[in-house]
Structure formats: structure tokens, C-alpha cells
Amino acid sequence: MSIKQNIDRLKEKICDASVKSNRNTESVKLMAVSKFHSVEEILEAYDAGLRLFGENRVQEAVEKFTDIELMDLNLHLIGSLQRNKVKKILPLVECIQSVDRIDLLNEIAKFDEYKHVKLLLEVHTGEESKNGFTSVSDVEDAIRFGIQHSLNIVGFMTMAPFTDDKKIIRNSFAKLRQVSDTMQELFPSLHMPELSMGMSNDYEIAIEEGSTLIRVGTAIFGQRV
Ligand SMILES: *Cc1c(COP(=O)(O)O)cnc(C)c1O
């Protein structure tokens, strides 16, 4: 199957999952996760209509996306970020989805000219130890820090645990939605609608649980080598 065929198929499935949960298909954005894939493959996905791309390493993002000049193309960083790479990635991205500690917000806040860059707080919602804020109070502290420093926090991101157990996956996504609901109540004046959750193997469950942005690599580009 070509990249275009994969995308067309994916769009149908997104549509089905949206209908199933009484949601508007337009409310779910599709990101192509292009890590380990070439610029040629990225262009193929762009030609098939995708405009949102995700990379998880700063160096790879810089190498592949610095010279791409395409209309409306938006890049998000979705992998863990070291403080000393913040300066390098900010000019290249519309959003950093993997903000997992205040330390990192503090670094981002140093760059006044990039205060408009969207930020998602990554929340740890599974059993295994992974990146992300682990407690609701830590998320609350991060948002307060964001307010104090005029940062543009627009929502939340999570990764479900690697498991075949759909119940565990669903619980993880439901947990992110609960964190989001709680924060929206605590900070009613903020607009934080984004829920980035769901990957190739679990995006349908994520859509049912309220995902607004799914991050899909393998189901678009095939296996990473
Ligand atoms: C690699 C990656 C994805 C995409 O994973 P697939 O299973 O290939 O769809 C999504 N989100 C993050 C954070 C990733 O690192």
C-alpha cells in the first residue's frame, strides 16, 4: 500500500470512529509521525493532503524540516526534550507536545520571541514508568507557571502503555481527559482544548475517549527500520 492509500484508509477509519462516538470528524486532527522516515516520504504524505507532522528528536527534526518550505506545513515536537536543545527547536515548531517538567517550561520562557509557540503538558497516565507529569497537582503547578510567564499552554498529551489490553489503554486515555477537565475547571479563563492521544494501534479508542489529535507513524509510513 502506498502512503496515500494508507492515509485514505486511515481517514475512513477516523470517520467511522468519530461517528461511533457521536463526534464530528473535523474535531480529530491527524498528525503524520515522520521519525525515521525520509523527506521524500514526508512530501508524499503532504501531497496526499496532510499538513501536520511530528518528530521526536530535535536533531532529526532540524535536519529534515529546516529546508522544507511548504504552505501550511506544521511541525510538532513529540519526544522528550533536553533543556539545551530548546533554543534549536523553538524556531522550527508550531507546538511542543512533550513538556514534561517545569524545568523545561522555565527554559522555554527565556525566549520571548517564541512565547506564541503552543505547548502541551505531557501527562503520565499508564502503569509503566514513562515521561510526563505524574500528579494532578504537578500539572496544576505547571499551568500556574505557564500563566506567570505568559506561555501558550493549549492542552495535554499522553502515551498509553504498550499493551494489548484495550481496557488499560482506554483507562489511560480517560485519565488524560479527566486531568484536562479538572484543569479546565480550575482555570476557566484558559483555553486548553487539545487532547493529543492515540497512535497507530490505539487511535480508535483514543477518538472514542475524546482525542483531538492522533499521532500516527506506522499506519501511514509502514514499519520504521
Ligand atoms: C513514534 C511515536 C508515535 C507514532 O507511533 P506509531 O505506533 O508508529 O503510530 C506517536 N507518538 C509518539 C510520542 C511517538 O514517539
Side-chain angles (χ1 to χ4, degrees), residues 96-112:
I96 298 173
Q97 294 204 359
S98 40
V99 176
D100 57 2
R101 55 199 198 279
I102 296 213
D103 188 34
L104 194 55
L105 286 173
N106 194 24
E107 185 65 22
I108 295 168
K110 291 180 185 165
F111 300 94
D112 267 327

Side-chain angles (χ1 to χ4, degrees), residues 79-163:
S80 58
L81 176 59
Q82 292 166 275
R83 264 192 349 196
N84 62 359
K85 304 244 171 86
V86 165
K87 189 179 182 174
K88 219 171 167 184
I89 198 68
L90 279 173
L92 208 59
V93 292
E94 178 195 37
C95 177
I96 298 173
Q97 294 204 359
S98 40
V99 176
D100 57 2
R101 55 199 198 279
I102 296 213
D103 188 34
L104 194 55
L105 286 173
N106 194 24
E107 185 65 22
I108 295 168
K110 291 180 185 165
F111 300 94
D112 267 327
E113 66 273 42
Y114 295 111
K115 288 276 168 83
H116 61 275
V117 170
K118 294 177 185 173
L119 305 173
L120 301 185
L121 300 180
E122 182 171 355
V123 182
H124 172 101
T125 57
E127 299 294 307
E128 301 153 53
S129 86
K130 273 211 202 91
N131 296 339
F133 292 99
T134 44
S135 75
V136 170
S137 70
D138 286 350
V139 175
E140 188 183 335
D141 288 346
I143 294 174
R144 289 195 198 285
F145 184 94
I147 295 170
Q148 281 158 12
H149 295 83
S150 310
L151 295 173
N152 191 17
I153 297 172
V154 297
F156 307 90
M157 182 269 230
T158 200
M159 277 173 93
F162 291 105
T163 170

Side-chain angles (χ1 to χ4, degrees), residues 26-43:
E26 309 290 306
S27 67
V28 185
K29 292 185 276 292
L30 172 58
M31 161 185 284
V33 177
S34 49
K35 65 185 181 199
F36 291 97
H37 292 284
S38 66
V39 171
E40 287 70 32
E41 289 168 293
I42 291 167
L43 297 182

Side-chain angles (χ1 to χ4, degrees), residues 33 35 56 78 157 159 199-201 215-219 224:
V33 177
K35 65 185 181 199
N56 71 339
I78 60 173
M157 182 269 230
M159 277 173 93
M199 314 190 344
S200 292
N201 289 326
R215 311 178 306 266
V216 182
T218 311
R224 290 179 284 275

